[in-house]
């Protein structure tokens, strides 16, 4: 059965939320999930969407998703796409759904004059790393991701 990729709609909130929970479980980060359906709906489909979602379907069944948003390269002077999450349900892995999601993201990036498509991967996730190498992705070894959140974010904002 073929894989179809489409833009998510508000009717997909339950599926998106389910994929996020499944991804968190896979990454051993279920304890870090705080998002609920209402928050997703507001930030994905509200008056000022902060991210976009693609849904991978096999038949009429959602089997994966990609959540992404734009960033901007000052060196390139052009936008980019940051892929926050890519997840394919275990029963659909190997079906081409992950690659189909990335192909569609690459098409969107080119159509929007983006300079790059970027994402992070956990260093222990060898199946994902091998897949990314197979499609031509390269690690950014000289860069280290930095994060400011929680109390540290509040403290800085209040300085």
């Amino acid at each position: 059965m073929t894989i179809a990729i489409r833009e998510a709609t508000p009717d997909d909130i339950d599926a998106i939320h389910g994929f996020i929970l499944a991804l968190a479980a896979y990454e051993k980060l279920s304890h870090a999930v705080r998002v609920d359906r209402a928050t997703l709906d507001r930030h994905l489909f509200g008056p000022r969407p902060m991210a976009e979602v693609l849904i991978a379907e096999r038949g009429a069944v959602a089997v994966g998703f990609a959540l992404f948003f734009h960033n901007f390269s000052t060196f390139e002077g052009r936008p980019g796409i940051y892929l926050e999450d890519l997840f394919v349900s275990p029963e659909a892995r190997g079906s081409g759904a992950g690659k189909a999601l990335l192909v569609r993201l690459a098409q969107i990036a080119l159509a929007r004059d983006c300079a790059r498509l970027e994402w992070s991967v956990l260093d222990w996730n060898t199946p994902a790393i091998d897949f990314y190498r197979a499609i031509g992705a390269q690690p950014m070894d000289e860069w280290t991701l930095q994060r400011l959140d929680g109390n540290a974010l509040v403290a800085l904002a209040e300085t």
Side-chain angles (χ1 to χ4, degrees), residues 12-55:
D12 294 309
I13 288 295
D14 287 340
I16 295 166
H17 189 254
F19 287 137
I20 291 169
L21 295 176
L23 174 62
Y26 176 77
E27 292 181 340
K28 302 169 184 68
L29 293 169
S30 293
H31 63 279
V33 177
R34 293 185 272 290
V35 71
D36 58 32
R37 289 167 184 82
T39 302
L40 280 174
D41 188 51
R42 183 173 72 249
H43 291 300
L44 296 177
F45 304 107
R48 186 173 177 195
M50 295 290 147
E52 299 174 62
V53 176
L54 296 175
I55 300 289

Side-chain angles (χ1 to χ4, degrees), residues 100-129:
L101 285 163
L102 285 170
V103 165
R104 183 67 188 119
L105 273 172
Q107 292 167 345
I108 291 169
L110 293 176
R112 296 179 184 180
D113 192 33
C114 293
R116 57 181 71 141
L117 170 59
E118 298 176 305
W119 62 92
S120 298
V121 60
L122 290 167
D123 58 8
W124 59 260
N125 194 347
T126 351
I129 292 168

Side-chain angles (χ1 to χ4, degrees), residues 1-158:
M1 194 173 290
T2 61
I3 299 294
I5 306 298
R6 64 173 177 79
E7 293 178 6
T9 70
D11 291 338
D12 294 309
I13 288 295
D14 287 340
I16 295 166
H17 189 254
F19 287 137
I20 291 169
L21 295 176
L23 174 62
Y26 176 77
E27 292 181 340
K28 302 169 184 68
L29 293 169
S30 293
H31 63 279
V33 177
R34 293 185 272 290
V35 71
D36 58 32
R37 289 167 184 82
T39 302
L40 280 174
D41 188 51
R42 183 173 72 249
H43 291 300
L44 296 177
F45 304 107
R48 186 173 177 195
M50 295 290 147
E52 299 174 62
V53 176
L54 296 175
I55 300 289
E57 290 181 324
R58 187 167 54 188
V61 177
V63 296
F65 87 125
L67 188 145
F68 65 99
F69 53 88
H70 284 279
N71 53 21
F72 192 82
S73 169
T74 53
F75 288 7
E76 293 282 345
R78 294 169 48 206
I81 288 180
Y82 187 81
L83 173 61
E84 178 68 24
D85 287 323
L86 175 75
F87 181 78
V88 174
S89 52
E91 63 277 4
R93 290 184 189 144
S95 69
K99 185 171 183 182
L101 285 163
L102 285 170
V103 165
R104 183 67 188 119
L105 273 172
Q107 292 167 345
I108 291 169
L110 293 176
R112 296 179 184 180
D113 192 33
C114 293
R116 57 181 71 141
L117 170 59
E118 298 176 305
W119 62 92
S120 298
V121 60
L122 290 167
D123 58 8
W124 59 260
N125 194 347
T126 351
I129 292 168
D130 292 344
F131 170 63
Y132 298 146
R133 293 301 161 272
I135 63 166
Q138 296 298 314
M140 301 295 293
D141 292 331
E142 296 176 0
W143 295 84
T144 302
L145 179 66
Q146 302 295 305
R147 177 175 292 165
L148 191 61
D149 63 3
N151 292 336
L153 178 61
V154 171
L156 181 61
E158 293 175 347

